Every structure is written in structure tokens, then in C-alpha cells.
Amino acid sequence: MSSNEKRLAGEAALRYVEDGMIVGVGTGSTVAYFIDALADIKDRIQGVVSSSEQSTAQLARHGIPVLDLNATGPLALYVDGADECDPQRCLIKGGGAALTREKIVAEASAKFVCIIDSGKCVDVLGKFPLPIEVIPMARSLVGREVVKLGGQPVWRDGVVTDNGNWVIDVHGWRIADPVGLERQLNQIPGIVTVGLFARRRADVVLVGDRVL
Ligand code: 5RP
């Protein structure tokens, strides 16, 4: 059921793709459906900017041109999944450890279309552990700061991000103020990216083929 909704969401996101666009592409199993659908209209777009090595590999298999964000300038559209979404369209992302490049491409894009299945919808963010990408030498420091803020940090041992960094997953937070927590965590040295997408949240959320 949930994989059917992921497929529907991935295909529905094609509605937002216009001729000649350069499309920002996220990461994950829902985005994989979007990439497969995008392949059918690849001759109508200029290309894409990818948020991960995983997505880049799939895009390359389809022969979709992957462009450098430094060369493209601002993008009109970004399509990506999420691990949780609240009613204000604030997100937890980073379950696939691609949060940093995802946040960069989201920031560069005028419209962020988030594609999810209904299991990702929550009233308050935080049941899904919040991923934080850290510079490796700061892992313990960041962990201690997170504990002071009431979270329980767990190192995602063995995972190295595309940027050569590590990921901490924070359990036990009920995130009633996503914008405030994102701002607070961004002050801690050693944190590269917080998987809260609240300041730059989704503009449109597709739950399956239905707009939230
Ligand atoms: C990767 C992400 C993904 O968007 C998130 O984990 C959702 O993945 P999926 O579509 O496989 O459920 O943030 O870093």
C-alpha cells in the first residue's frame, strides 16, 4: 500500500515539471519513482541537479543529464521525499543520509514539491529520529549538546555521507517548534546540517496523488 502511494506521488509530481526546466531531484525510494517517471519526458527538460550519488546513478542509467548547481543558478522546482511531514509542511528528512545536499538544492529552488505516502503524515514531528549530519571530530560534542536539549543521540555507526561526514539520529524529541529548534541546532559548531526542513519547508505536499 505505501509503495503504491510512493509510486503515485512520484508520478503525480510530473505535473509540476514544465518544458525546458532544470529540475532539482531529491533522494530515496519515493524519488526513485519520480526519476523513473521523469525519464519518460527527459527530452522536454534541460536536465536535473541531483542531491546524492544514489540519485545521480539512477539518473545516469536513464540518460538524464545531471548538471552542476554552480552552473545552473536558481532552480524553478525541487522534488523530494520526506520521513515525516506536519500540517504546516515542515519536514524531517535525512533517513537516507542525503540531507545536506537536499537542503542546498531545496534552498536554491523556487518551489519545493514533497512527495510522500500517508504513513509520513504526523501532527507533531519527532517520532522519526531527527538526523543530524556532523563533522566526524564533533560527534561527541554535538551529542552532549543534544542531550542538554533533552534529545537522545544515536550515532548511525558505519554510515558516511556523500560529503564524508557522519550522522547522528536524535530520538525522544517532540518537535512543537520546528523553526526554533532548527535555528537553535544550527548554532552548534560541528553540525553541518539538521534534518529539519522548517525555515525552508515544502511548498506543496503530495500524499500519493493528492495535495495535502
Ligand atoms: C533522504 C531523505 C528521503 O527523502 C527520506 O528518507 C524519505 O525516503 P523514502 O522516500 O525512501 O521513504 O530525506 O535523505
Side-chain angles (χ1 to χ4, degrees):
M1 181 60 186
S2 116
S3 71
N4 188 44
E5 284 185 338
K6 288 182 181 199
R7 183 182 55 74
L8 287 173
E11 292 172 0
L14 273 194
R15 290 180 212 145
Y16 297 86
V17 178
E18 294 174 14
D19 288 359
M21 264 185 176
I22 300 172
V23 182
V25 173
T27 300
S29 57
T30 317
V31 165
Y33 288 111
F34 174 66
I35 294 174
D36 286 344
L38 195 61
D40 292 338
I41 60 159
K42 66 179 179 188
D43 295 335
R44 290 177 26 206
I45 61 170
Q46 281 189 60
V48 301
V49 171
S50 173
S51 64
S52 66
E53 301 302 327
Q54 180 189 317
S55 290
T56 298
Q58 188 186 354
L59 290 157
R61 284 197 296 277
H62 282 301
I64 299 174
V66 178
L67 309 174
D68 177 355
L69 183 63
N70 290 311
T72 62
L75 306 178
L77 176 66
Y78 179 55
V79 177
D80 197 0
D83 300 300
E84 273 187 355
C85 174
D86 77 7
Q88 286 72 44
R89 289 175 274 99
C90 295
L91 311 171
I92 286 182
K93 291 186 46 53
L99 60 166
T100 295
R101 296 187 191 184
E102 290 173 339
K103 208 173 236 195
I104 292 168
V105 185
E107 185 72 25
S109 301
K111 180 176 278 187
F112 176 3
V113 174
C114 181
I115 51 177
I116 56 174
D117 61 271
S118 49
K120 307 287 183 63
C121 296
V122 297
D123 288 333
V124 179
L125 298 174
K127 196 170 276 179
F128 190 94
L130 178 67
I132 298 178
E133 180 167 346
V134 298
I135 299 287
M137 72 170 288
R139 174 173 62 90
S140 301
L141 168 77
V142 171
R144 288 192 295 275
E145 294 301 314
V146 160
V147 168
K148 285 183 203 163
L149 295 171
Q152 297 139 31
V154 176
W155 178 28
R156 211 183 290 179
D157 197 0
V159 171
V160 178
T161 71
D162 287 348
N163 314 303
N165 296 317
W166 292 350
V167 176
I168 292 172
D169 294 305
V170 184
H171 298 246
W173 268 337
R174 186 178 182 279
I175 305 173
D177 176 13
V179 174
L181 183 61
E182 183 181 18
R183 189 186 308 120
Q184 195 172 11
L185 290 170
N186 278 336
Q187 307 303 316
I188 300 172
I191 288 184
V192 177
T193 300
V194 178
L196 265 176
F197 285 52
R199 189 187 59 78
R200 204 293 173 247
R201 63 189 71 180
D203 300 302
V204 176
V205 176
L206 291 172
V207 184
D209 57 1
R210 176 179 63 82
V211 177
L212 182 70

